Amino acid sequence: MLFAARTDKIIQRTAIAVTLAVTTGITQVAQAGTIRHDVDDSYYRNEANFFPSVGYFGAENSSTSWGCSGTLIAPSYMLTATHCVTDDNNQFLTSGTFWVGGNPYFVTAGAYNSAFSYQNIFAGNDIAVVQLANSVFNVDPASLYFDTNENLQVGTYVGFGATGNGITGFDINTAGTKRAGQNIIGLGSRLANYGLGDNLLVSDFDDPHTANDDPLSQPLFLEYQLAPGDSGGGLFIDGKVAGIHSSIISLFDNSNDASYGDFSASTRVSSFTSWINNAINALENLGMSSSSSINNSETSNGSEFGTKAPLAPEYNFFDRSFAVRWIDDKSFRGEAKHVPEPSSIFGLLVLGGLALKTNYKQQVSRVD
């Protein structure tokens, strides 16, 4: 929960734990997101059916494979998190598959935010646009949320993360099934004492037995907490993508297990609508561009973020004939030009992390 009056006291005596929501390896069960302990899981799975544009994003390179979530924002473009396109050692994916509408679509190129850093996750730059080899015809792309009135709105988180409930936390071996849940959303600056800013949107996972009068601390029927595998998925307001799942934040128990009291943080799409348009323009022109290689030295080593959660086996399918190309936003700064079907472009925020504060201990692990 977000307790503005309590944050100063708690931060002085509590370590901050941050988890990025990614999944790697092999798992046996497919579930997503931690839920209320007193609400049947079928309600969350049924709610996810209203968001067909959110799909499962599987990735691999020569070292490992991992799973995330993503949102279709144009027929051949998907929105996800920057940390979803790299492994724990910050090496970019060489093969990727976006599963949406029951079909796999292979990754050919992508654009990432060069300002993203694991050492400054609170800046809210955890965003990437991925180009698909073929257009998706049986799913309508999601629209971006352009308004800046997200504060105190009801938002719906959608993703393929690990599951559990508010009492047990998540089970790392349960990623891969789509689920959706709802929370009251606040601007990141509500947690300014922890280093968060308004390029992030946040919510807290409320225990129905401990609700108080704070408007953000009212547990909804489908109260939800991001978990490993939800990264890159979409936070929706009024049916439009308002955020990209970036991180789980534990302020009170340092458990980082997506249990009651933990926070979800998502990159704020309304801060990056021009960035998204510019990225799509650049990817459209990538065949004529000389800026198609990636400089891994521009991002920090992510090994301190630990082990990712497992890749769901049913999505472990890649076409390795594609040579995926990457560009960063240094090659497309400036005003956006025409973007195909701009009204159908959808934006998502995914799990990011907390900025390192010199006077606080911080623990971070990947949860894609």
Side-chain angles (χ1 to χ4, degrees):
M1 289 178 276
L2 299 177
F3 297 105
R6 294 175 52 192
T7 52
D8 285 337
K9 185 182 298 183
I10 293 172
I11 194 66
Q12 293 173 3
R13 66 186 186 210
T14 306
I16 299 177
V18 181
T19 300
L20 299 178
V22 183
T23 63
T24 63
I26 298 298
T27 186
Q28 298 177 351
V29 186
Q31 299 290 330
T34 52
I35 65 176
R36 283 178 57 153
H37 68 281
D38 57 350
V39 175
D40 191 85
D41 180 59
S42 63
Y43 289 102
Y44 292 88
R45 288 184 276 112
N46 289 338
E47 181 69 15
N49 292 331
F50 294 101
F51 301 90
S53 58
V54 178
Y56 187 94
F57 180 33
E60 69 168 12
N61 56 27
S62 60
S63 300
T64 187
S65 60
W66 64 94
C68 274
S69 302
T71 301
L72 188 71
I73 59 170
S76 58
Y77 289 94
M78 181 262 288
L79 189 62
T80 189
T82 287
H83 82 261
C84 282
V85 300
T86 63
D87 64 15
D88 284 336
N89 294 314
N90 251 1
Q91 299 303 305
F92 279 69
L93 67 86
T94 55
S95 298
T97 308
F98 182 52
W99 291 80
V100 66
N103 299 308
Y105 297 86
F106 302 113
V107 174
T108 58
Y112 70 99
N113 192 334
S114 61
F116 173 77
S117 167
Y118 291 111
Q119 279 67 48
N120 192 21
I121 295 176
F122 289 159
N125 294 309
D126 197 5
I127 182 173
V129 171
V130 173
Q131 185 182 59
L132 307 176
N134 301 104
S135 295
V136 179
F137 293 109
N138 65 335
V139 175
D140 290 332
S143 299
L144 298 179
Y145 193 86
F146 292 101
D147 294 332
T148 57
N149 61 345
E150 304 98 332
N151 194 42
L152 301 184
Q153 298 260 23
V154 173
T156 302
Y157 291 100
V158 189
F160 287 77
T163 194
N165 63 52
I167 296 174
T168 65
F170 68 80
D171 177 352
I172 199 64
N173 294 311
T174 60
T177 291
K178 192 174 180 179
R179 182 178 280 102
Q182 296 179 329
N183 299 74
I184 299 175
I185 304 302
L187 300 182
S189 57
R190 285 178 170 266
L191 294 177
N193 289 334
Y194 298 94
L196 278 72
D198 283 345
N199 278 344
L200 289 173
L201 300 175
V202 298
S203 68
D204 57 340
F205 191 22
D206 296 306
D207 187 335
H209 300 301
T210 60
N212 62 27
D213 294 332
D214 188 304
L216 291 181
S217 299
Q218 303 303 309
L220 304 180
F221 176 69
L222 293 180
E223 190 79 5
Y224 189 82
Q225 170 63 44
L226 295 176
D230 283 323
S231 282
L235 168 61
F236 292 79
I237 296 176
D238 294 334
K240 299 178 180 180
V241 183
I244 303 168
H245 308 327
S246 182
S247 62
I248 302 166
I249 304 170
S250 179
L251 298 179
F252 304 128
D253 58 10
N254 199 31
S255 64
N256 224 29
D257 60 357
S259 59
Y260 286 134
D262 285 352
F263 293 77
S264 299
S266 299
T267 303
R268 188 181 185 184
V269 167
S270 64
S271 297
F272 292 94
T273 52
S274 292
W275 189 97
I276 294 168
N277 287 336
N278 290 336
I280 292 177
N281 283 326
L283 290 170
E284 285 288 305
N285 296 320
L286 186 58
M288 298 176 289
S289 171
S290 61
S291 178
S292 59
S293 62
I294 189 161
N295 182 355
N296 283 315
S297 65
E298 293 183 358
T299 52
S300 62
N301 189 321
S303 60
E304 72 272 22
F305 292 91
T307 304
K308 296 179 181 179
L311 174 72
E314 62 265 40
Y315 298 111
N316 194 5
F317 177 57
F318 303 98
D319 186 338
R320 298 177 179 89
S321 65
F322 290 104
V324 181
R325 295 173 292 177
W326 293 98
I327 57 175
D328 66 28
D329 52 4
K330 294 178 182 178
S331 64
F332 56 85
R333 288 173 178 165
E335 294 300 320
K337 299 178 182 178
H338 173 69
V339 177
E341 303 185 36
S343 63
S344 68
I345 294 180
F346 217 59
L348 293 182
L349 296 177
V350 268
L351 302 182
L354 296 179
L356 182 61
K357 306 275 287 188
T358 56
N359 55 335
Y360 307 129
K361 175 183 177 183
Q362 180 181 20
Q363 297 179 353
V364 184
S365 60
R366 295 287 296 266
V367 294
D368 300 355

